[in-house]
Amino acid sequence: SYSSLPCLNEEGQTFVLPLVGKLKKQISADPTLCPEYPSSLGLAEFTKRATEFALGKNSLALMENRVFGIQTIGCTGAVRLGAELLKHWYNTRAAWCGPVYLSSPCDGNIFEAAGIQDIHYYFYWDAKQRDVCVEKLLADLEQAPEQSVVVLSASAHCPTGADLSEQHWALIIQLMMRRRLFPFILLPVQGLCCGDLQRDAWPVQHCASQGMELLCAQSFSHCFGLYGDGVGNLLCVLKQSSLLSAVQSQADRLVRALWARPSVGGARVVATVLSNPEEVKHIVERCMLIRERLRERLRLLGSPGCWDHLIKQRGLYCCTGLNGQQVEFLSKRRHVYLLPNGCLNVSAINSSNLDYIAESIHLALTSAL
Amino acid sequence: IMSVFSEVPQAAPVAVFKLTQDFNNDQHPQKVNLGVGAYRTDEGRPWVLPVVKKVEKLIVHDDRLNHEYLPILGLPEFRSSASKIALGDDSPAIKEERVGAVQCLGGTGALKIGAEFLRRFYNGNNNTKTPVYVSAPTWENHNAVFANAGFEDVRPYKYWDAEKRGLDLNGFLGDLESCPAHSIFVLHACAHNPTGTDPTQEQWKKIAEVMMRRKLFVFFDSAYQGFASGSLEKDAWAVRYFVSMGFEMFCAQSFSKNFGLYNERVGNLTIVARDGDNLKRILSQMEKIVRTTWSNPPSQGARVVAITLNTPELFSEWSDNVKTMADRVLLMRAQLKAKLQALGTPGTWDHITQQIGMFSFTGLNSQQVEYMVKEKHIYLMASGRINMCGLTTKNIDYVAESIHEAVTKVQ
């Protein structure tokens, strides 16, 4: 699904980045902010930053003014809006009903809700190999009719190791260009969470640099602990700037029949953080430091296994490799909460809880379970 | 290779937004915006309700607050308190546990979810052909929301009598009597947008009688509770009457205006079901619909409303804030009428004070409106609708004089 569990810290509460907490307080005290209806397209400062975040500031598409971004209610809202846009306008002669290709497993419910019935799945995760099977994926896409829409995840469901490499992406995109398939890219947890900012957005940037048109659904809920104020962005890259106004106007019209306008609270926070690259860099650096210290603690405790992957991965999350039983042990016996797949929110670790967490992991690994 | 979007036509701009845009671009020193439906103080500024400021501070400084995703159906304490405010604390339907709610993205979101549900489940599993009736005239987005939810037959019901400048009750009742069975009717709970003309209690009773007899579906749109008369109870009379009559019904509530939470998108779809079992099943389907629309609603605004409604002192403060807004509107109505009468402007102007809520259908025709906009830089809708909140003690003379000019110079 498009939204997964938030990451919890040891008190069982989600971790709200201190910066976000500070910003929320600043925003609430700001006398110049007033209660007006926001634009149906959302907060301009947010969509600008979010769009740049995905495409890169120097994107040709941006400079040629053939990109628009619309603030949505989280990633689901972005996917829904994108689906509605395709349904109504992908084939202007008649309402478009598909085909849409999704990775399996993934649910097509949002597309169905938008009235797109023709949904197919392409091969993605090979459970035996515990990896993506690119050959099968490519074979399935080869079979897709021209002009099919293909939904792809740029940064896969919170780092499970199931990310596609750049070479894989290049192959997929090359095939899509040849077969005239339309990319709809999901970017639910970008940059801070799964890797460096550039790496996650690479597929989006590569498609754009190849001159493709695309839709991209972004979400900023996870990165900033803003679960309760889901902020999303639907990004659209067009071939010509002359089309921008018309397509955006139709997307705008669809927004008004969905939720009229988005809520601004979360968007203000995200826009502020995104416009402060130093803050973002600081967060990433701090996470690196914590990863190094955690690895060192585990080494000193004599924890079994190799923990290099902690520092090879970057960003807010890391995949510990702990199994289901070990994860349950941590939550039930030690009140340390990881995602069911063993992913840990690094930013929730600080100097006061680092030792406890390292010990807990050590116990999970060494206790008879 | 051509763009896949190369044949997409430009959508027409939304009239009311275009109006505000034109207003913003206008440099005339005496310009007045009587277009957009949002409250303005006598200084012409948006107003953060004092109680809202207070509660927002509480929220932001409360470190214990859970920052997780809200449940799909929304914040429980918001949903129940919001439904209570519409139906009344002592509502028998609530006591009978057959009232439920879905937190939505503003009033629009509530209409959307209700519409999507009805299209799937109201009368059989495919209601694309079921007629949906909206008042003539109505808030123009009603059409888009229901059409986009898949209803192919969205029609007007007679409502505004332009000659009489009042409710066309006979026309309305006539449409209720002659419409296809199982038709869905969107009713404005109070402060009708755009006419400001509400049925009287006696008239509502007649409407309810026909709807009950003919088994038509009641879908209330309640965006102005408290704003119309200044009294939350009074403004909820129609909704509560229909509930007391035993209707199964929906009520789409918006807290944008009565809480001034325009940018937090706080809405609630209240569901009055036949019984608890029906309610349970309805909510389970609503959840599926929400899951594919926005998945989890935003928490900020809902928390503000929930805390306010559930805390007696804050509730009382909010009621006062709402009355402040409603009173200012009433004052502007009284003053505008008085000034037009003093100027001897031709025609009767009683409707200005008889109409209720934010909006007034002045009765100006489109040429007169054009005159107002182009010559006097006073921006109002082509229908003659004005937002009373756009009037202030500073601009009311100018507006009254301009209306006088428009009426006397332009036919």
Side-chain angles (χ1 to χ4, degrees), chain B residues 91-222:
Chain B
S91 170
I94 294 180
K95 287 197 170 69
E96 289 159 19
E97 297 184 338
R98 53 188 185 86
V99 173
V102 182
Q103 181 190 338
C104 295
L105 274 284
T108 301
L111 289 164
K112 169 68 174 175
I113 299 304
E116 290 278 345
F117 177 89
L118 290 172
R119 196 254 299 154
R120 288 168 174 74
F121 300 109
Y122 165 52
N123 180 27
N125 287 346
N126 181 358
N127 287 271
T128 49
K129 308 268 188 265
T130 303
V132 174
Y133 281 82
V134 298
S135 65
T138 193
W139 179 52
E140 105 296 329
N141 208 20
H142 277 151
N143 286 282
V145 171
F146 283 89
N148 269 46
F151 287 99
E152 294 166 5
D153 188 357
V154 182
R155 318 177 183 182
Y157 59 85
K158 295 190 190 64
Y159 193 83
W160 173 250
D161 184 333
E163 258 189 71
K164 229 179 66 189
R165 284 201 199 155
L167 178 69
D168 177 6
L169 182 69
N170 287 333
F172 189 173
L173 293 172
D175 282 343
L176 289 172
E177 293 283 8
S178 63
C179 68
H182 305 291
S183 292
I184 295 165
F185 275 74
V186 179
L187 308 173
H188 296 230
C190 71
H192 184 268
N193 178 2
T195 67
T197 299
D198 291 339
T200 62
Q201 290 184 3
E202 287 315 302
Q203 291 170 332
W204 274 123
K205 287 180 181 172
K206 293 199 174 120
I207 293 162
E209 190 269 321
V210 182
M211 291 190 76
M212 180 57 88
R213 181 171 25 90
R214 298 212 59 232
K215 299 192 181 23
L216 305 172
F217 190 83
V218 175
F219 199 149
F220 270 109
D221 183 350
S222 176

Side-chain angles (χ1 to χ4, degrees), chain A residues 185-264:
Chain A
I185 302 177
L186 308 178
L187 204 50
V189 279
Q190 186 187 344
L192 296 182
C193 292
C194 303
D196 70 65
L197 291 79
Q198 288 307 107
R199 205 197 81 180
D200 292 338
W202 192 83
V204 182
Q205 294 178 9
H206 187 68
C207 284
S209 71
Q210 298 294 303
M212 293 175 89
E213 289 184 311
L214 63 97
L215 287 173
C216 174
Q218 298 169 265
S219 163
F220 295 87
S221 313
H222 277 72
C223 292
F224 298 90
L226 285 169
Y227 308 105
D229 294 286
V231 198
N233 188 47
L234 178 72
L235 191 162
C236 179
V237 178
L238 298 162
K239 278 202 162 72
Q240 295 131 252
S241 59
S242 58
L243 301 171
L244 184 78
S245 180
V247 181
Q248 187 178 265
S249 74
Q250 295 297 350
D252 192 358
R253 206 164 147 225
L254 291 165
V255 168
R256 276 182 268 116
L258 282 169
W259 53 69
R261 314 136 197 277
S263 61
V264 302

Side-chain angles (χ1 to χ4, degrees), chain A residues 149-216:
Chain A
V149 168
V150 182
V151 179
L152 298 152
S153 282
S155 57
H157 325 284
C158 238
T160 57
D163 282 341
L164 294 163
S165 69
E166 261 178 40
Q167 290 109 305
H168 291 158
W169 275 111
L171 286 173
I172 292 168
I173 290 166
Q174 195 177 54
L175 185 157
M176 288 181 67
M177 284 185 70
R178 180 168 47 79
R179 307 245 344 112
R180 305 209 189 162
L181 305 176
F182 186 96
F184 193 153
I185 302 177
L186 308 178
L187 204 50
V189 279
Q190 186 187 344
L192 296 182
C193 292
C194 303
D196 70 65
L197 291 79
Q198 288 307 107
R199 205 197 81 180
D200 292 338
W202 192 83
V204 182
Q205 294 178 9
H206 187 68
C207 284
S209 71
Q210 298 294 303
M212 293 175 89
E213 289 184 311
L214 63 97
L215 287 173
C216 174

